[in-house]
Amino acid sequence: MKTLTGAEIVIECLKEQKVDTVFGYPGGSILNIYDALYKHQDEINHILTAHEQGAAHAADGYSRATGKVGVCMATSGPGATNLVTGIATAYMDSIPMVAITCNVALPLLGRDSFQEIDITGVTMPITKYNFIVKDITKLADTIRRAFAIAQTGRPGPVLVDITKDVTAASFDYEYKEPKPIVRQEDTITEEDLETALTMIRKSQKPYIFVGGGAIIAGAEEELSSFAHKIQAPVADSLMGKGAYDGTDELYTGMVGMHGTKTSNLGITECDLLIVIGARFSDRVVGKASKFARNAKILQFDVDPAEINKNIKTHASVVGDVKSILRKLNVRLDPINHEEWVAHIERLKDMYPMRYEKSILTGPFIIEKIYEVTGGDAVIATEVGQHQMWAAQYYQYKYPRSFITSGGLGTMGYGLGAAMGAKMGVKDKVVINIAGDGCFRMNFNEIATATRYNIPIIQIVLNNHVLGMVRQWQTLFYGKRYSHTELNDQVDFVKIAEGMGAKAYRVTSKEEFEPVLREAIALNVPVVIDCQIHCDDKVFPMVSPGAPIEEVFDAEDLKI
């Protein structure tokens, strides 16, 4: 046992939790922690981002790529509030993250002091839990609890706010080994398993719908065994990409608003929909009353609050989905559904993904990235058309290889997340796909990438419009393009070069592959500005609020 300042206790607790990288931005209230961090810079790597929001997104991306808890730091007031969008992004996608902020000293709380904000009050709806530490005797145990809560059950972000006087005070510290995170199995009942087994065995046309919960649980091997054992096609949500091998013959693509026709029609026709770690987002189900209307629905999820929340289920098993699948696989004999699988294969042949092949487009760029990287890269995205193309045209073979904001849909997320991911998986090629609208929001983080030589590749699908909003304006708003055109004088190549990155502009299909290969070989921060047409659209598509079987594409619009 030794006597340390509160700031030093924070650092020692981070070391206890095996934290190797922290993303943040200093300020007055958190200076004591940054001073302590200075003394431990050989043990904990700190990345100074250009903006606190970038720090939160980087911690989130680090967590998604590694499965570890991401950590970010900020000072009081505006420093803390600048983390809010990143915390909310992590909350919506169940990402384990600990955000550490410092507030004004205890005597100044509640007095509208300089740079004071009630950050625990602000973040209460968007954290799994949050704390304000006003007593140094509770500091170490609070941080330990924060890490445990962030990882237990359904993960999520936890915020720890510490008053400045606590970081300056002294108290006894004793090292404690973190307790292992135990999978939630006590809620998995024999009765629920037997019901699930009966439904699976009776089904003639089963379909598996997998979400991000399967990735969080590390259930990819059990999921693959399960799908092949019961011979069921597999579709995924945006967050479920990589939970099931995208090159496997049973895989049918994403489901929902921009899902494949095969997945949308197949789920509509199936007699049993097995939902694994997915929450029935509105972008997935479309018109809820018509979703999988011919099927019984069997849901596996660690969070009981998700059962019957958006879609009424016929049965469920609550608990860690890896454990659920392992228990089911042991009891299941192989089931033959060859006729059903053959029907789904015919749908695949009838409704392939299609795009204009003669010019440089988003889908062409995504397919070329897949070809050049062999499907072995980590792909991050911003939010919009480019995000959907990245989900549709890159075949994700592995979990934690697709880093994107699903629930909150955060423009400006991907660049920070890509940097965080690269810090966590240094041996992987990490590419962020952005639209020009998203890139504008946080492109200042290119300066962070060059400062630390974080060799990410930033690809901008530059159509000079807010592409997804324009697509809706074209289809549903009579082509009234209200404030979605970005025809100005901004030059992304010059901006990137001004921040110290290597930059290219690509205007044709032929130019893209050699530029991408050179960018990978350089192993430095690179920006590739790809000029595409403003009216390229994401298809297939389901109109908002329509049943998912009413999916259409460009060919259907010609009729």
Side-chain angles (χ1 to χ4, degrees):
M1 186 177 293
K2 50 189 175 182
T3 301
L4 301 176
T5 66
E8 290 167 335
I9 289 171
V10 170
I11 302 304
E12 291 301 323
C13 287
L14 293 180
K15 288 163 59 179
E16 281 181 7
Q17 300 293 329
K18 306 297 188 292
V19 173
D20 54 26
T21 305
V22 172
F23 306 89
Y25 206 99
S29 292
I30 202 170
L31 266 178
N32 291 331
I33 289 179
Y34 270 81
D35 189 53
L37 189 61
Y38 181 86
K39 303 169 187 175
H40 295 271
Q41 56 189 293
D42 294 337
E43 298 165 282
I44 298 177
N45 187 22
H46 179 276
I47 301 297
L48 173 66
T49 53
H51 189 283
E52 290 93 348
Q53 185 176 337
H57 292 329
D60 174 306
Y62 176 94
S63 178
R64 295 191 202 222
T66 64
K68 302 176 185 178
V69 178
V71 180
C72 59
M73 290 181 175
T75 196
S76 62
T81 58
N82 281 345
L83 294 177
V84 167
T85 298
I87 293 170
T89 300
Y91 179 75
M92 289 290 283
D93 292 342
S94 303
I95 305 304
M97 186 168 85
V98 171
I100 296 173
T101 57
C102 285
N103 217 319
V104 298
L106 186 57
L108 298 176
L109 278 181
R111 298 177 180 272
D112 294 334
S113 303
F114 177 67
Q115 290 193 333
E116 179 196 356
I117 196 77
D118 176 12
I119 194 61
T120 55
V122 169
T123 60
M124 188 175 293
I126 57 166
T127 50
K128 190 176 177 187
Y129 206 95
N130 65 23
F131 303 88
I132 180 166
V133 182
K134 304 175 184 178
D135 179 352
I136 192 171
T137 66
K138 299 177 181 178
L139 178 59
D141 285 341
T142 298
I143 294 174
R144 291 165 183 145
R145 279 190 66 198
F147 275 86
I149 291 169
Q151 300 172 81
T152 304
R154 181 178 184 168
V158 178
L159 180 131
V160 181
D161 192 36
I162 310 166
T163 60
K164 186 172 182 177
D165 48 337
V166 167
T167 68
S170 297
F171 190 66
D172 292 338
Y173 163 81
E174 185 175 7
Y175 174 86
K176 289 187 179 180
E177 187 73 21
K179 295 178 181 178
I181 302 300
V182 179
R183 292 184 179 274
Q184 184 177 315
E185 296 187 339
D186 58 332
T187 54
I188 304 173
T189 69
E190 192 65 27
E191 181 182 359
D192 288 343
L193 289 174
E194 283 301 324
T195 300
L197 288 165
T198 299
M199 293 174 72
I200 292 165
R201 288 169 180 146
K202 285 183 177 180
S203 171
Q204 299 300 309
K205 296 187 291 184
Y207 221 109
I208 295 170
F209 167 42
V210 61
I215 294 173
I216 292 168
E220 58 275 9
E221 291 183 10
E222 289 78 7
L223 174 61
S224 179
S225 298
F226 179 68
H228 283 275
K229 182 165 278 193
I230 69 170
Q231 208 174 12
V234 181
D236 54 22
S237 68
L238 185 72
M239 298 309 302
K241 290 285 170 188
Y244 193 83
D245 182 354
T247 65
D248 188 88
E249 67 272 13
L250 289 174
Y251 180 69
T252 64
M254 194 163 62
V255 63
M257 179 173 282
H258 293 293
T260 64
K261 284 191 174 184
T262 300
S263 292
N264 284 7
L265 295 175
I267 284 176
T268 302
E269 294 178 25
C270 74
D271 65 7
L272 175 66
L273 182 62
I274 305 166
V275 183
I276 302 173
R279 60 184 179 84
F280 295 110
S281 160
D282 57 296
R283 288 297 173 98
V284 164
V285 304
K287 188 171 185 176
S289 63
K290 295 291 184 71
F291 181 73
R293 63 179 181 271
N294 298 306
K296 291 185 175 180
I297 295 178
L298 173 61
Q299 186 175 4
F300 306 152
D301 205 284
V302 74
D303 186 356
E306 289 300 335
I307 309 299
N308 296 319
K309 186 178 84 174
N310 294 327
I311 294 292
K312 180 73 174 176
T313 63
H314 295 80
S316 61
V317 184
V318 175
D320 175 74
V321 295
K322 182 184 181 79
S323 301
I324 293 169
L325 291 173
R326 187 186 295 136
K327 291 175 185 292
L328 292 176
N329 285 340
V330 168
R331 305 183 191 200
L332 279 168
D333 293 322
I335 304 173
N336 187 319
H337 292 123
E338 287 183 3
E339 187 176 334
W340 171 235
V341 170
H343 170 67
I344 298 299
E345 284 297 319
R346 287 192 292 272
L347 290 180
K348 286 185 189 179
D349 292 338
M350 290 170 61
Y351 303 117
M353 297 292 290
R354 293 178 289 212
Y355 64 89
E356 175 58 55
K357 303 282 188 179
S358 63
I359 58 174
L360 184 69
T361 64
F364 168 83
I365 289 167
I366 303 301
E367 285 192 332
K368 188 58 67 174
I369 293 170
Y370 177 76
E371 177 188 321
V372 170
T373 62
D376 197 34
V378 172
I379 304 296
T381 79
E382 306 291 345
V383 171
Q385 288 180 315
H386 60 277
Q387 177 191 33
M388 294 298 103
W389 288 325
Q392 292 171 330
Y393 289 96
Y394 195 98
Q395 295 174 276
Y396 298 94
K397 297 183 284 188
Y398 314 108
R400 304 195 178 280
S401 58
F402 185 50
I403 312 292
T404 196
S405 171
L408 197 63
T410 306
M411 293 176 69
Y413 164 80
L415 180 51
M419 291 193 303
K422 185 64 177 180
M423 294 302 298
V425 287
K426 293 183 172 66
D427 59 326
K428 294 282 188 180
V429 172
V430 177
I431 300 173
N432 184 47
I433 314 294
D436 49 320
C438 290
F439 186 55
R440 291 162 181 262
M441 290 196 169
N442 277 339
F443 62 44
N444 49 356
E445 297 301 345
I446 292 293
T448 307
T450 58
R451 179 189 300 119
Y452 295 100
N453 193 28
I454 304 172
I456 57 168
I457 298 171
Q458 169 66 66
I459 294 176
V460 184
L461 302 187
N462 191 349
N463 55 9
H464 301 279
V465 294
L466 299 178
M468 187 62 87
V469 185
R470 181 184 175 91
Q471 177 166 331
W472 280 47
Q473 288 173 332
T474 300
L475 296 174
F476 310 121
Y477 289 85
K479 298 185 179 180
R480 295 183 295 277
Y481 300 122
S482 179
H483 301 286
T484 50
E485 297 183 345
L486 305 176
N487 289 316
D488 50 32
Q489 304 304 309
V490 176
D491 186 327
F492 292 145
V493 170
K494 288 182 178 179
I495 287 172
E497 289 175 342
M499 293 185 181
K502 183 74 173 174
Y504 303 84
R505 180 169 290 111
V506 171
T507 60
S508 70
K509 289 173 62 178
E510 294 72 25
E511 292 175 315
F512 181 71
E513 181 176 341
V515 166
L516 178 61
R517 291 189 182 277
E518 184 172 328
I520 293 171
L522 284 171
N523 201 38
V524 299
V526 175
V527 174
I528 306 175
D529 179 11
C530 300
Q531 302 285 317
I532 65 172
H533 196 274
C534 66
D535 280 319
D536 285 356
K537 294 180 176 61
V538 177
F539 289 119
M541 183 176 186
V542 177
S543 297
I548 62 169
E549 69 262 30
E550 293 181 12
V551 57
F552 62 89
D553 59 20
E555 291 298 311
D556 297 316
L557 293 179
K558 292 177 182 178
I559 297 173

